[in-house]
């Protein structure tokens, strides 16, 4: 989703602005632009397509100056055109603004502005902000830096929706202002330059100290010092300077062709990292210091709600099986976008876990806030522990998966699964789970990284199957129990990066409609490990084969039934039942990846997708 990068203080801001935008490419975008103050004029360059196109434009028509702001746009209002790309100017052409978020009442505000004679150059909601702030500034006789902050306060109080914005003004020289509400923004504080960005990844190597802005904060930067104010005019809380996270640093592809493939192969390590120091063999339990709750308090919980979006929602669904079986506590899962408006009954004996890789997903953040308002205990499960969701939750658990650049989530999904398994263990051990059962869970979890590493050895087999079926026009994915959400996730991965329609469902639902889709051209991917429902899955496979549907089965080493029945068989290391979702996930990630490669798709930046969806 849109990315913002800005800086002030360097003579030439372009190298940082362009490099920063490049590092935010993973967020997903379709056009890019940059504005710098040169002399006392603002100069803008924009281009449709990748940051490389913008670099080319800037090479052809060079820019130099400070301060500068830049942006990658993921279209929400108006098509993908240069006119709609940011930065946008106000009516005077002296103020330039970039925005991440959505101004929900933009139509009304635009009509009012048109009534006052404003002419718009784009179809975006963002341009309304530029015009409103510019107008408020021009009406103030002072026309100085405090006047711009005042104009921002006046305007932003009337804005409904979400925003992170950055502004430069030709009349104010070395001055850069920024504000946020609902969309992330981080300040980089250097000795002779200051920076802003949507994600600290863009700041690595340029500064050591960062400040994560809070909702309603306004920042004023002059290259040497900074000042924080708020939209309401009340005093801002004192800024917390933090060292830039080391994890923001590992952003290369290494020996892999794509970030996604690299991240798939990192999973033995990321799983180990997620468990490090959290498993207690002596007490046969798991510990999360970030939950800030005693065992007594957690024992009082009567219900758990797991909420999230996309891939993370599928992790939540898998968590329902894992936690209920280990801890015998009712677990409910809800899409954050539904949960926030559902008016679900919530009480202090309910714990809501807002799950989000980025920690910035707008719907998940809203679900968290709604749960808090209604008195639930709220926890975040996030990869970015400095994200808004992490900061606004009462306690939380970090995924420790490192930065995930591939837009399609992979390693963060399995990290979410392992965190939920450990959460089930911990909650189980303060309820009914015996010491010996707890020990067994720990031993099994400790074997997981190695099982995943051995599953990755199927890479070439999977690549061959992917190439063979890459011209398929429709895939079906099915599984049972905790492998049912994995089927959903497998189908989502396939859709996201190959654009092939794919549907996931519980195997038993085959007869209730999906069977109508079975024919010689529609492959079914069946997750059939050796577990209690293996025979049931075999019956489903028989039903598919009876209708000549090709079957790609994922089973367990040594299985001969699947081999004799199915067109393709991928046999995985024998594993405890609750770990089979992890291994099946690896296979489905690789299957989607190799299919996308065979089709020549842009694996790391699939069309229309954004890594972090910060608008509703
Ligand atoms: C977007 C991404 C998905 C991700 C979802 C939730 O749709 O493209 O890959 O699963 O957001 O993201 P989150 O950061 O909240 O886990």
């Amino acid at each position: 989703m849109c990315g913002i990068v800005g800086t002030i203080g360097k003579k030439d801001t372009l190298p940082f602005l362009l490099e920063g935008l490049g590092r935010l490419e993973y967020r997903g975008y379709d056009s890019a632009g940059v504005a710098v103050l040169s002399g006392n004029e603002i100069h803008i360059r924009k281009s449709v397509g990748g940051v490389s196109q913008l670099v080319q434009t800037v090479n052809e028509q060079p820019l130099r100056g400070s301060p500068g702001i830049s942006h990658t746009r993921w279209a929400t209002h108006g098509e993908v055109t240069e006119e709609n790309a940011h930065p946008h100017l106000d009516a005077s052409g002296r103020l330039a603004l970039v925005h991440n978020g959505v101004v929900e009442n933009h139509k009304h505000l635009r009509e009012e502005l048109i009534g006052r004679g404003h002419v718009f150059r784009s179809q975006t909601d963002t341009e309304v902000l530029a015009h409103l702030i510019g107008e408020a500034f021009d009406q103030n006789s002072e026309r100085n830096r405090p006047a711009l902050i005042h104009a921002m306060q006046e305007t932003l109080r009337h804005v409904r929706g979400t925003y992170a914005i950055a502004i430069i003004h030709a009349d104010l020289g070395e001055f850069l202002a920024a504000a946020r509400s609902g969309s992330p923004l981080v300040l980089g504080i250097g000795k002779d330059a200051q920076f802003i960005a949507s994600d600290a990844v863009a700041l690595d190597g340029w500064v050591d100290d960062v400040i994560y802005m809070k909702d309603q904060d306004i920042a004023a930067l002059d290259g040497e010092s900074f000042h924080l104010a708020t939209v309401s005019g009340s005093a801002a809380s004192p800024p917390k300077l933090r060292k830039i996270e080391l994890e923001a640093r590992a952003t290369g592809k290494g020996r892999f062709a794509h970030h996604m493939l690299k991240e798939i192969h990192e999973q033995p390590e990321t799983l180990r990292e997620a468990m490090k120091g959290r498993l207690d063999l002596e007490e046969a339990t798991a510990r999360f210091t970030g939950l800030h709750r005693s065992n007594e308090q957690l024992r009082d919980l009567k219900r758990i709600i797991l909420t999230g979006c996309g891939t993370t929602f599928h992790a939540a669904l898998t968590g329902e099986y894992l936690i209920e079986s280990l801890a015998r506590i009712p677990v409910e899962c809800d899409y954050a976008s539904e949960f926030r408006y559902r008016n679900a009954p919530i009480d202090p004996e309910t714990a809501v876990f807002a799950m989000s890789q980025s920690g910035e997903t707008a719907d998940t953040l809203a679900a968290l806030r709604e749960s808090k308002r209604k008195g639930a205990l709220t926890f975040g499960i996030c990869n970015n522990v400095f994200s808004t969701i992490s900061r606004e939750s009462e306690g939380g658990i970090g995924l420790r998966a490192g930065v995930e650049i591939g837009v399609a989530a992979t390693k963060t999904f399995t990290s979410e699964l392992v965190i939920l398994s450990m959460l089930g263990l911990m909650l189980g051990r303060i309820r009914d789970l015996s010491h010996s059962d707890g020990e067994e869970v720990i031993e099994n979890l400790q074997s997981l990284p190695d099982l995943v590493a051995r599953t990755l050895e199927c890479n070439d087999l999977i690549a061959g199957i992917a190439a063979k079926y890459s011209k398929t026009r429709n895939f079906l994915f099915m599984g049972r129990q905790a492998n049912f959400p994995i089927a959903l996730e497998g189908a989502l991965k396939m859709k996201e990066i190959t654009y092939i329609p794919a549907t996931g469902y519980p195997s038993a639902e085959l007869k209730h409609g999906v069977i109508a889709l079975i024919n010689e051209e529609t492959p079914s991917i069946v997750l059939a490990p050796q577990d209690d429902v293996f025979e049931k899955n075999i019956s489903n496979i028989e039903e598919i084969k009876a209708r000549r549907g090709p079957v790609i089965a994922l089973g367990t080493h040594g299985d001969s039934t699947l081999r004799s029945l199915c067109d393709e068989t991928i046999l995985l290391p024998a594993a405890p039942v609750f770990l089979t979702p992890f291994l099946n996930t690896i296979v489905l990630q690789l299957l989607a990846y190799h299919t996308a490669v065979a089709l020549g798709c842009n694996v790391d930046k699939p069309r229309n997708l954004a890594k972090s969806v910060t608008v509703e």
Side-chain angles (χ1 to χ4, degrees):
M1 198 127 283
C2 303
I4 292 176
V5 175
T7 186
I8 182 166
K10 293 237 171 242
K11 279 191 196 83
D12 188 7
T13 53
L14 256 291
F16 167 72
L17 294 175
L18 296 175
E19 190 186 318
L21 286 189
R23 295 202 208 160
L24 295 188
E25 281 193 306
Y26 75 93
R27 294 167 67 85
Y29 69 104
D30 36 50
S31 52
V34 57
V36 297
L37 181 63
S38 192
N40 64 351
E41 293 290 333
I42 286 176
H43 296 275
I44 292 185
R45 306 281 182 270
K46 297 180 183 185
S47 61
V48 166
V51 172
S52 53
Q53 265 96 324
L54 182 65
V55 172
Q56 205 177 320
T57 309
V58 171
N59 285 341
E60 285 160 11
Q61 303 163 47
L63 277 184
R64 221 179 137 77
S66 169
I69 52 176
S70 61
H71 188 265
T72 46
R73 173 176 186 250
W74 187 82
T76 57
H77 295 70
E79 287 170 24
V80 181
T81 60
E82 275 187 22
E83 291 70 39
N84 288 333
H86 302 206
H88 289 286
L89 292 170
D90 73 337
S92 73
R94 311 275 302 154
L95 176 151
L97 176 148
V98 291
H99 169 222
N100 168 21
V102 166
V103 179
E104 286 169 4
N105 53 340
H106 73 102
K107 267 203 183 118
H108 169 73
L109 297 171
R110 180 184 276 254
E111 277 158 21
E112 283 186 349
L113 283 161
I114 291 173
R116 297 200 291 273
H118 287 250
V119 176
F120 286 90
R121 305 170 188 95
S122 79
Q123 301 153 305
T124 62
D125 52 336
T126 302
E127 199 182 353
V128 167
L129 289 180
H131 279 245
L132 281 170
I133 296 171
E135 182 183 66
F137 176 77
D138 288 336
Q139 281 165 1
N140 188 326
S141 54
E142 305 281 334
R143 297 180 60 76
N144 55 12
R145 294 172 179 185
L148 181 62
I149 301 301
H150 190 69
M152 289 167 73
Q153 288 169 323
E154 215 172 282
T155 302
L156 296 175
R157 276 181 212 141
H158 296 109
V159 165
R160 277 208 326 268
T162 55
Y163 55 80
I165 56 171
I167 300 176
I168 56 175
H169 199 293
D171 296 349
L172 299 180
E174 283 291 294
F175 190 64
L176 194 162
R180 72 153 277 184
S181 181
S183 301
L185 210 52
V186 53
L187 305 180
I189 308 298
K191 280 204 184 69
D192 54 358
Q194 296 158 335
F195 306 84
I196 55 161
S198 298
D199 186 326
V201 165
L203 305 180
D204 178 35
W206 297 85
V207 279
D208 289 328
D209 297 318
V210 293
I211 294 169
Y212 291 88
M213 286 177 69
K214 295 202 180 68
D215 267 356
Q216 308 292 314
D217 273 356
I218 297 182
L221 314 172
D222 65 11
E224 286 168 1
S225 59
F226 69 94
H227 174 72
L228 287 185
T230 65
V231 172
S232 68
S234 60
S237 44
K240 267 196 203 145
L241 221 60
R242 301 177 192 266
K243 288 284 165 217
I244 198 162
E245 271 293 274
L246 280 181
E247 66 168 32
R249 305 201 159 165
T251 52
K253 276 194 287 211
R255 66 188 164 91
F256 295 95
H258 296 97
H259 285 288
M260 182 179 176
L261 189 61
K262 174 175 174 251
E263 286 156 4
I264 290 174
H265 280 83
E266 279 171 3
Q267 289 174 102
E269 206 35 56
T270 49
L271 288 167
R272 239 176 239 122
E273 199 53 42
M275 291 189 273
K276 207 190 261 170
R278 287 169 166 169
L279 293 173
D280 178 344
L281 245 185
E282 205 166 302
E283 299 286 328
T285 190
R287 298 192 187 287
F288 299 104
T289 45
L291 288 182
H292 308 310
R293 287 292 179 283
S294 66
N295 285 349
E296 289 68 34
Q297 287 168 309
L298 294 170
R299 197 178 297 115
D300 288 343
L301 291 176
K302 297 279 181 295
R303 183 169 67 132
I304 286 180
I305 295 177
L306 303 175
T307 188
C309 303
T311 289
T312 294
F313 178 68
H314 296 153
L317 281 178
T318 319
E320 181 179 352
Y321 290 87
L322 298 173
I323 297 173
E324 285 190 346
S325 72
L326 288 167
R328 316 296 309 148
I329 180 168
V331 178
E332 239 174 74
C333 295
D334 214 348
Y335 282 110
S337 53
E338 289 299 309
F339 181 68
R340 63 183 290 191
Y341 293 120
R342 191 159 65 87
N343 198 18
I346 292 176
D347 53 45
E349 292 175 328
T350 302
V352 175
F353 285 81
M355 297 177 52
S356 171
Q357 179 281 126
S358 59
E360 301 294 349
T361 300
D363 281 319
T364 313
L365 178 59
L368 168 78
R369 289 177 176 166
E370 184 65 14
S371 313
K372 248 175 136 172
R373 190 173 301 121
K374 291 183 173 161
L377 251 185
T378 56
F379 299 110
I381 299 183
C382 300
N383 199 29
N384 182 353
V385 291
F386 296 116
S387 61
T388 312
I389 290 177
S390 299
R391 284 182 281 124
E392 291 197 12
S393 309
E394 290 159 76
I397 306 175
L399 298 183
R400 303 181 183 161
V403 175
E404 190 175 64
I405 303 277
V407 166
T410 52
K411 60 176 178 173
T412 52
F413 177 71
T414 48
S415 295
E416 287 168 340
L417 296 189
V418 81
I419 295 292
L420 294 173
S421 312
M422 288 192 287
L423 188 61
L425 168 65
M426 187 206 71
L427 294 171
R429 287 288 293 130
I430 54 177
R431 287 183 171 70
D432 300 330
L433 197 72
S434 70
H435 190 280
S436 61
D437 286 347
E439 264 177 354
E440 194 182 328
V441 173
I442 292 185
E443 277 157 21
N444 288 334
L445 283 172
Q446 284 170 334
S447 70
L448 179 61
D450 184 48
L451 290 168
V452 168
R454 283 162 57 206
T455 304
L456 285 165
E457 289 168 10
C458 299
N459 180 64
D460 294 352
L461 168 68
I462 299 166
I465 296 174
K468 184 167 163 191
Y469 290 86
S470 63
K471 297 286 179 306
T472 294
R473 290 170 62 193
N474 186 13
F475 278 111
L476 301 175
F477 288 74
M478 63 195 94
R480 286 171 183 262
Q481 299 292 293
N483 280 304
F484 150 56
I486 304 304
L488 296 180
E489 174 58 10
L492 179 63
K493 277 302 80 103
M494 188 63 84
K495 284 182 279 218
E496 282 180 320
I497 60 170
T498 70
Y499 320 134
I500 300 173
T503 319
Y505 56 92
S507 310
E509 282 294 300
L510 177 69
K511 292 193 268 304
H512 301 289
V514 192
I515 201 160
L517 297 177
I518 303 288
N519 61 24
E520 284 167 348
E521 265 116 54
T522 306
S524 295
I525 293 146
V526 186
L527 312 184
Q530 286 291 346
D531 58 11
D532 299 348
V533 287
F534 177 72
E535 294 302 331
K536 311 272 174 206
N537 276 320
I538 294 296
S539 305
N540 296 126
I541 293 174
E542 300 269 15
E543 287 154 8
I544 298 166
K545 290 313 303 171
R547 287 158 186 85
R548 300 206 180 141
V551 174
I552 302 168
L554 277 58
T556 308
H557 271 312
D559 191 314
S560 53
T561 320
L562 288 173
R563 270 210 196 289
S564 63
L565 265 178
C566 304
D567 301 73
E568 317 291 341
T569 314
I570 303 167
L571 297 183
L572 306 174
V577 172
F578 85 100
L579 297 185
T580 59
F582 290 85
L583 309 192
N584 286 332
T585 298
I586 305 293
V587 175
L588 300 187
Q589 290 170 348
L590 286 170
L591 189 67
Y593 171 79
H594 287 296
T595 309
V597 170
L599 292 172
C601 298
N602 188 345
V603 174
D604 284 331
K605 282 175 237 146
R607 76 177 179 217
N608 301 341
L609 296 188
K611 180 79 185 157
S612 169
V613 178
T614 49
V615 298
E616 196 177 340

